[in-house]
Amino acid sequence: MSLAAEAFVSQIAAAEPWPENATLYQPLKEDQILLSDCASSLAVQAYLRMCGLPVQVRCRANAEYMSPSGKVPFIHVGNQVISELGPIVQFTKAKGHSLSDGLDDVQRAEMKAYMELVNNMLLTAELYIQWCDDNTAAEWEIRRKMSAVGWAGKSLEQVYEDVSQCCQALSQRLGTQPYFFNKQPTELDALVFGHIFTILTTRLTNDELADRIKAYSNLLAFCRRIEQSYFDEQDKDGQSGSSRFSKGPSLI
Amino acid sequence: MSAPCELYCWKGNWGLPSVDTDSLIVLAYARFAGAPLKIHKVTNPWRSPTGSLPALTSTDGSFSQPSKIIIQLRKQKYNADYDLSAKEGADTLAFISLLEEKLMPALIYALWIDPKNYVDVTRRWHAENISFPFNFFLPSRMQGKQLEKLRFIRSNPSLEAGDETEKELYCDAQECMNLLSQRLGSNKFFFGDSPSSLDAYVFGHLAPLLKIKLPSGRLQQHLMSLDNLNRFCSDILSVYFPNENVGYKVSSQAEGNDFDNDPNKRRKQLLSVLVAVGAMLCYALLTGIVAIEHVHDQEEPSISAGLHGPSQDEDEEE
């Protein structure tokens, strides 16, 4: 979203309260949804639930094409369409809902940094693993893309190592607190939950990634806690035939 | 410990020990950790043992990329992060991600993609400092790689130089610099009184912005407005790289010399033009395209006399 458009959206957003019929669109679950898209969508859902903003989830095969930026997920609120967690957080902030207002400057800097860490490590790892999992002839394409960010020499093993390192950092930061910034969840908690939960509950050909994450018990407990606090009620309307988002006991 | 390792990195300028961010990161970390390195400042990545810069060679092999080099130095017990707590170690990882996602793209844009900066500063420095014949094609090759890297990081395969791109990138970078400034506060370094790898990373990204004078300098101006980051970089330069500051004075004289060299350059240009014209003239003369008649002036009378002689004879005969 360009800067001018963002400012415009913020102004418009501030005008109206959050409607009851806000909808979140994501790609269809079976076969079509990328691991990373799934994680991003779950992160947005978690964030909105943490803000106490109701949203219905709809799966559409052409969600990517419906989205203004081509990225999923996106939300349709009133007559506005906003995609990706970052802009959605800003949008809700303009409407007066924010999870990070209570943070001081240093904490906010740390929160943004950790969000980038998750994006950097987990998102890229998810993409890498998804491509490898697809097992198509596009492996050379993966290599070419990864070489642009210096990931070319990375074997799958090294990608797993990176994910472990990222999770270790998250685990150390979380410590024994219920959320990353103590008592209240923030967008960082939503983002971490989205990614970790997705990795743990998605069936891949290789379970090593999930196993590595399971080594960090406080992250597991963190995910369970958010799942129980915010996803308790089964949102059957928006689930439309998906089992991946079932918030049942899938963390074990 | 093992024998001292050797580090290959880009040469420096403008008061910096190196003009390249990754090289700066490694150099700074090595100084912070007190690692005795034999440093080779080169201007051609192909001279490096791994084909890219920076590169570290040790008894365990060769390594490139700052993260791998730092890991290797840590293995050799040169660890600037020894005193960090687990949480601080985690914060380091997080802030490095922030730098790489939000600041580095803008830095790449400012140095390599912005047309004015690239032509006036980056390409010029590389063309002047890389040896023949690599200086003809390496700079543009490097630019291509940087653009590809930028496109991948921003997930935008069609990213091009332009106002819109610049605004987005610079906005993110300014936010990142603000966050860094907030995190640093009034501390000397990011984690206490002694520098760590995060300080090296931040220094590596900010120092080029601080020191390299760019014609399109919006990003620089923002950095200048953040006093604590300014001070942070300057302190590291003056404490850990004092010789470069001396070098900077020399290079400012060199810049003065550049002005002196300008007439020299002009002279050289004039000479080369004269040589070219002279060569063309010689060629023309030798092949007879141009014939100079007046050279034979003194001989002409005799020749013409000679010429006229027979003709006169002929005339007389006629």
Side-chain angles (χ1 to χ4, degrees), chain B:
Chain B
M1 319 296 155
S2 13
C5 308
E6 296 184 29
L7 178 71
Y8 294 79
C9 59
W10 278 99
K11 208 175 98 174
N13 198 21
W14 298 290
L16 295 168
S18 172
V19 299
D20 167 56
T21 290
D22 285 347
S23 304
L24 278 173
I25 292 172
V26 176
L27 283 169
Y29 182 85
R31 292 279 164 107
F32 295 161
L37 290 179
K38 186 155 178 258
I39 298 181
H40 302 270
K41 297 224 176 143
V42 298
T43 53
N44 189 346
W46 292 355
R47 284 220 200 115
S48 138
T50 62
S52 66
L53 294 171
L56 183 80
T57 51
S58 67
T59 47
D60 295 330
S62 302
F63 305 89
S64 46
Q65 288 178 8
S67 49
K68 294 205 180 100
I69 294 178
I70 290 179
I71 290 175
Q72 186 60 21
L73 287 174
R74 277 201 200 123
K75 276 197 192 145
Q76 313 238 338
K77 312 275 191 270
Y78 298 114
N79 189 354
D81 297 337
Y82 189 71
D83 291 328
L84 293 185
S85 68
K87 180 182 166 304
E88 286 172 339
D91 284 353
T92 299
L93 216 55
F95 276 98
I96 290 175
S97 289
L98 185 69
L99 279 173
E100 287 178 354
E101 290 289 315
K102 297 287 177 185
L103 185 53
M104 188 172 61
L107 194 56
I108 290 177
Y109 187 91
L111 289 174
W112 290 94
I113 314 292
D114 180 293
K116 201 153 181 11
N117 291 346
Y118 173 63
V119 169
D120 286 353
V121 178
T122 310
R123 188 176 72 180
R124 189 165 141 205
W125 185 86
H126 283 86
E128 284 173 5
N129 283 276
I130 299 180
S131 52
F132 179 86
F134 301 102
N135 57 338
F136 286 117
F137 60 87
L138 261 185
S140 49
R141 220 177 89 137
M142 288 165 75
Q143 189 199 33
K145 273 196 188 159
Q146 296 285 20
L147 183 58
E148 197 177 311
K149 188 171 171 184
L150 188 57
R151 283 178 172 165
F152 183 78
I153 294 179
R154 301 296 288 191
S155 304
N156 182 352
S158 54
L159 191 144
E160 290 288 350
D163 283 341
E164 190 67 32
T165 312
E166 186 190 288
K167 263 199 214 129
E168 274 180 40
L169 293 175
Y170 284 9
C171 189
D172 278 349
Q174 283 165 8
E175 198 201 332
C176 177
M177 288 196 264
N178 291 342
L179 291 173
L180 288 172
S181 180
Q182 283 163 3
R183 179 64 182 75
L184 181 64
S186 52
N187 301 327
K188 197 152 174 249
F189 297 108
F190 277 91
F191 300 117
D193 285 333
S194 54
S196 61
S197 52
L198 178 59
D199 300 285
Y201 271 87
V202 175
F203 172 72
H205 285 83
L206 293 181
L209 268 183
L210 198 63
K211 288 293 198 179
I212 303 178
K213 296 285 174 279
L214 296 171
S216 305
R218 253 185 59 203
L219 208 53
Q220 286 182 321
Q221 283 162 13
H222 188 83
L223 178 56
M224 298 297 187
S225 70
L226 297 168
D227 286 335
N228 61 349
L229 289 182
N230 236 331
R231 174 194 45 83
F232 171 79
C233 291
S234 308
D235 283 351
I236 291 182
L237 275 174
S238 59
V239 172
Y240 292 94
F241 299 101
N243 296 328
E244 312 299 330
N245 278 338
V246 172
Y248 183 49
K249 293 203 183 100
V250 170
S251 60
S252 63
Q253 284 172 9
E255 277 173 33
N257 282 342
D258 271 339
F259 287 117
D260 291 338
N261 278 339
D262 261 339
N264 273 345
K265 258 192 199 163
R266 299 261 167 77
R267 223 181 290 160
K268 279 185 192 165
Q269 281 171 347
L270 199 58
L271 267 175
S272 54
V273 167
L274 283 176
V275 166
V277 170
M280 284 193 283
L281 267 178
C282 284
Y283 176 77
L285 280 172
L286 285 173
T287 54
I289 299 174
V290 171
I292 299 184
E293 296 293 331
H294 68 275
V295 170
H296 303 287
D297 258 345
Q298 291 168 1
E299 294 169 312
E300 247 183 284
S302 52
I303 294 177
S304 52
L307 283 173
H308 286 141
S311 61
Q312 280 171 6
D313 288 341
E314 283 172 16
D315 283 345
E316 283 171 1
E317 281 175 6
E318 284 173 23

Side-chain angles (χ1 to χ4, degrees), chain A residues 2-229:
Chain A
S2 71
L3 290 176
E6 258 180 40
F8 184 64
V9 162
S10 290
Q11 279 176 356
I12 303 261
E16 301 159 356
W18 190 269
E20 283 300 318
N21 62 348
T23 321
L24 179 141
Y25 290 91
Q26 62 179 46
L28 282 182
K29 303 296 177 21
E30 296 75 24
D31 299 333
Q32 288 189 21
I33 195 169
L34 288 179
L35 201 59
S36 44
D37 287 344
C38 197
S40 303
S41 175
L42 189 55
V44 170
Q45 285 182 55
Y47 176 75
L48 291 173
R49 286 174 189 245
M50 287 169 184
C51 289
L53 297 171
V55 71
Q56 295 163 7
V57 179
R58 299 223 188 288
C59 302
R60 292 280 181 276
N62 59 342
E64 276 170 344
Y65 300 102
M66 290 166 71
S67 160
S69 65
K71 303 247 170 72
V72 287
F74 64 91
I75 56 173
H76 184 202
V77 178
N79 58 356
Q80 271 139 30
V81 183
I82 310 104
S83 57
E84 295 184 285
L85 184 63
I88 291 174
V89 168
Q90 276 181 320
F91 180 76
T92 54
K93 194 177 274 197
K95 285 207 183 291
H97 303 272
S98 170
L99 296 180
S100 51
D101 274 348
L103 300 181
D104 64 33
D105 283 344
V106 171
Q107 286 175 318
R108 188 165 296 119
E110 286 176 358
M111 181 188 78
K112 295 260 163 107
Y114 276 94
M115 287 175 81
E116 286 310 322
L117 178 66
V118 173
N119 280 332
N120 206 355
M121 294 268 198
L122 290 184
L123 193 61
T124 320
E126 281 159 8
L127 286 171
Y128 189 98
I129 286 160
Q130 181 88 47
W131 280 321
C132 287
D133 222 42
D134 279 346
N135 240 351
T136 59
E139 189 175 314
W140 63 268
E141 211 185 279
I142 306 172
R143 293 224 171 274
R144 196 176 58 81
K145 287 195 182 168
M146 293 292 169
S147 73
V149 275
W151 280 49
K154 290 201 181 183
S155 58
L156 203 54
E157 181 59 36
Q158 282 170 317
V159 171
Y160 289 145
E161 263 307 308
D162 281 349
V163 171
S164 282
Q165 215 188 20
C166 174
C167 290
Q168 188 184 35
L170 290 171
S171 176
Q172 280 165 353
R173 183 70 176 83
L174 182 63
T176 50
Q177 299 172 124
Y179 300 107
F180 278 93
F181 291 98
N182 210 5
K183 302 265 183 356
Q184 296 300 324
T186 59
E187 46 262 42
L188 174 61
D189 301 274
L191 187 65
V192 172
F193 170 75
H195 283 276
I196 303 232
F197 190 89
T198 305
I199 293 175
L200 288 173
T201 56
T202 304
R203 191 151 296 131
L204 294 168
T205 51
N206 189 338
D207 280 334
E208 174 146 1
L209 194 59
D211 288 340
R212 296 233 178 183
I213 297 182
K214 285 181 189 163
Y216 300 99
S217 53
N218 63 345
L219 287 182
L220 279 185
F222 167 80
C223 284
R224 276 202 201 98
R225 191 178 312 120
I226 293 193
E227 186 190 355
Q228 281 161 6
S229 311

